[in-house]
Amino acid sequence: MRQHFLPFSGALALFLLVYAASRFALWGLVLAAFLAYLLYLGLLRWQGRLLAKGPSRVALERLAMREAWRKGGFLSPKDLGAFLPQDEAERLLEGLAARGLCRREGEGFRF
């Protein structure tokens, strides 16, 4: 249901705009419904492709930094287990350490 919220909202807004612009005529109703349906399908497809890609690298890095802040500045890869598999979390944290945003301390990383 959540996945259909954006396409439905966009389609509803376009429908109301076109139908009102046609002064609520019958031809406007048909045109508005057709255009809204096309917009709904287009937004649904676009959003599906976007969600299939998953979060970007930047978003994952921000997530790691927020988790580190929440946990007092120290983060281990298993702390990101709810969001990422263990090996991906390790690579993400190693990448942050390589860029100088954190440093390795034993089993985890200090931010």
Side-chain angles (χ1 to χ4, degrees):
M1 182 61 188
R2 284 178 126 177
Q3 197 173 9
H4 297 278
F5 183 73
L6 175 68
F8 179 74
S9 299
L12 180 63
L14 181 67
F15 174 80
L16 293 173
L17 183 67
V18 172
Y19 190 43
S22 71
R23 297 184 183 176
F24 304 102
L26 182 59
W27 64 269
L29 177 69
V30 173
L31 179 65
F34 178 70
L35 292 176
Y37 181 69
L38 288 179
L39 181 67
Y40 176 80
L41 291 178
L43 283 176
L44 189 64
R45 185 174 174 184
W46 171 77
Q47 184 180 14
R49 283 193 319 258
L50 198 63
L51 291 176
K53 289 180 185 176
S56 68
R57 185 79 175 170
V58 173
L60 292 174
E61 290 174 353
R62 285 183 183 172
L63 175 71
M65 286 188 237
R66 284 187 184 154
E67 279 296 304
W69 179 78
R70 198 171 69 80
K71 298 206 180 258
F74 186 80
L75 190 67
S76 66
K78 66 181 174 187
D79 292 332
L80 296 174
F83 313 108
L84 293 169
Q86 183 81 17
D87 57 335
E88 281 185 46
E90 181 76 29
R91 281 195 307 269
L92 177 72
L93 292 171
E94 288 290 342
L96 287 172
R99 291 184 13 222
L101 297 172
C102 63
R103 66 181 183 278
R104 187 169 191 85
E105 284 188 6
E107 291 290 317
F109 294 82
R110 174 76 54 192
F111 283 79

